[in-house]
Amino acid sequence: MDFNEMDVETIWQDGSFVDWDDATVHVLTHGLHYGTGVFEGVRCYDTQNGPAIFRWDEHLERLYQSAQPYDMEIPYTREELTEATLELLRREQLESCYIRPVAFYGYGSLGVSPGDNPVDVAIAAWPWGAYLGEEALTNGVEVMISSWRKHASSQIPTNAKTTGLYVNSLLAGEEARRNGYTEAIVLNKEGNVAEGPGENIFMIRDGEIYTPGLSESILDGITRDTVIELAQDRGYTVHDRATISRGELNTADELFFSGTAAEVTPIRKVDNVVIGDGGRGPVTEELQQAFFDLINRETDAHAEWFSYV
């Protein structure tokens, strides 16, 4: 995704709509130096009922919750950010897009303590297709177990979606790509499976579904929660507080990633070990289809998850 190739002209920044090229910050912004920002990634889908933001309320709630450990008071109400986002999509006539709200400590004191620095807020939106590639949704991806570990919640809050923490994700993902893989899987400090750099992970074994619990140093993903509910709706047993060892991945019947960007993406190999039959497994395919039927509004289920533009 290249910003220069997009026909998007506007960003909402600190209460105003500004030209894309004018949405700038000072080089001594606190968040730039110390990673003191929180953000969300949200998708708007062009459904058969019109453009709709998927689970906006849950994403917005997590944004405010992420700010709490950092004593960051977002200076706008949920209603103000919602209206700003809807107006941004209307102005840009975006029907299917990715939305990025971000709040961060701005320019002021450059000590580690943000002191009285202002909290700046911006919202951008742009077209963005399948995060790991369109073919990955059908064929799956090849991943490696990263040598980098996920930090523990006793070190840094893992359930806050913090800008600075994504250096961990960058290290793991780039290591995988340097070694010829599409993506990584990150283990926690105990050596158990945590998640991908920007995705949660699911394992299917003997017809039951397993996903690491919050105590395994994962982000409580909103797409993860969606998949769990869709699976339970279809009668599957879901173990959503699972502890999954590294070795269990190799003997899984199926594996897949979930996430706002990745949606539901099968995993066909881990460290060159073929998973199942080496393609998209039947349970993964069923849940993936259920997810896409949902976001396209081909079903009336979970109507409360959609905010129409």
Side-chain angles (χ1 to χ4, degrees):
M1 182 270 297
D2 188 341
F3 286 123
N4 294 326
E5 297 174 355
M6 299 186 314
D7 186 21
V8 180
E9 299 178 351
T10 307
I11 288 178
W12 184 90
Q13 183 178 27
D14 293 326
S16 300
F17 292 96
V18 300
D19 288 343
W20 183 280
D21 291 338
D22 294 332
T24 58
V25 298
H26 197 281
V27 294
L28 296 183
T29 292
H30 195 277
L32 174 63
H33 290 259
Y34 301 115
T36 48
V38 297
F39 72 102
E40 281 296 319
V42 195
R43 279 195 187 265
C44 177
Y45 289 100
D46 186 15
T47 78
Q48 63 180 10
N49 298 328
I53 305 175
F54 184 60
R55 303 197 71 171
W56 171 253
D57 291 341
E58 290 88 344
H59 281 285
L60 197 58
E61 181 62 25
R62 190 172 63 183
L63 181 73
Y64 283 85
Q65 290 178 350
S66 294
Q68 289 178 358
Y70 303 101
D71 294 326
M72 182 185 296
E73 293 188 13
I74 296 176
Y76 300 94
T77 66
R78 289 163 173 77
E79 292 74 21
E80 287 172 322
L81 294 187
T82 298
E83 184 50 42
T85 301
L86 292 172
E87 178 60 21
L88 178 65
L89 300 190
R90 295 180 193 123
R91 285 178 178 231
E92 294 299 318
Q93 298 182 345
L94 291 168
E95 296 177 336
S96 179
C97 63
Y98 183 85
I99 305 166
R100 170 57 58 85
V102 61
F104 53 93
Y105 280 115
Y107 173 68
S109 168
L110 204 58
V112 174
S113 171
D116 295 327
N117 288 22
V119 174
D120 295 334
V121 184
I123 303 169
W126 61 88
W128 200 1
Y131 179 61
L132 298 175
E134 292 289 345
E135 69 285 351
L137 295 173
T138 302
N139 299 329
V141 293
E142 298 184 10
V143 305
M144 67 170 283
I145 305 295
S146 178
S147 64
W148 297 98
R149 295 290 178 94
K150 180 69 182 285
H151 52 272
S153 58
S154 59
Q155 299 168 316
I156 306 174
T158 55
N159 207 32
K161 197 170 174 69
T162 309
T163 58
L165 302 189
Y166 276 74
V167 294
N168 182 254
S169 299
L170 181 149
L171 289 167
E174 291 307 297
E175 177 187 39
R177 285 179 276 279
R178 283 196 303 271
N179 284 280
Y181 297 89
T182 303
E183 189 60 295
I185 292 174
V186 183
L187 308 180
N188 60 25
K189 67 181 181 65
E190 289 81 16
N192 296 317
V193 175
E195 56 191 358
E199 311 91 359
N200 294 116
I201 189 169
F202 286 80
M203 177 180 75
I204 293 95
R205 186 175 60 209
D206 297 330
E208 297 189 357
I209 300 171
Y210 299 80
T211 189
L214 300 186
S215 62
E216 301 298 323
S217 298
I218 70 163
L219 182 71
D220 188 8
I222 292 167
T223 307
R224 172 185 181 271
D225 178 74
T226 301
V227 170
I228 290 169
E229 292 211 31
L230 291 176
Q232 291 173 335
D233 289 347
R234 284 153 182 76
Y236 285 103
T237 298
V238 181
H239 305 274
D240 61 355
R241 300 180 180 178
T243 297
I244 300 173
S245 69
R246 175 176 181 166
E248 286 181 275
L249 296 177
N250 294 337
T251 58
D253 296 330
E254 303 175 42
L255 296 171
F256 66 87
F257 282 133
S258 74
T260 294
E263 297 172 310
V264 178
T265 299
I267 298 170
R268 69 173 181 262
K269 284 186 181 181
V270 177
D271 289 339
N272 285 325
V273 175
V274 175
I275 305 303
D277 294 330
R280 179 176 57 184
V283 178
T284 301
E285 184 173 6
E286 180 182 356
L287 294 177
Q288 186 188 66
Q289 188 61 55
F291 178 79
F292 284 114
D293 286 347
L294 175 72
I295 61 176
N296 290 324
R297 301 310 293 136
E298 294 176 12
T299 171
D300 293 330
H302 301 292
E304 71 280 3
W305 285 347
F306 294 85
S307 300
Y308 287 93
V309 177

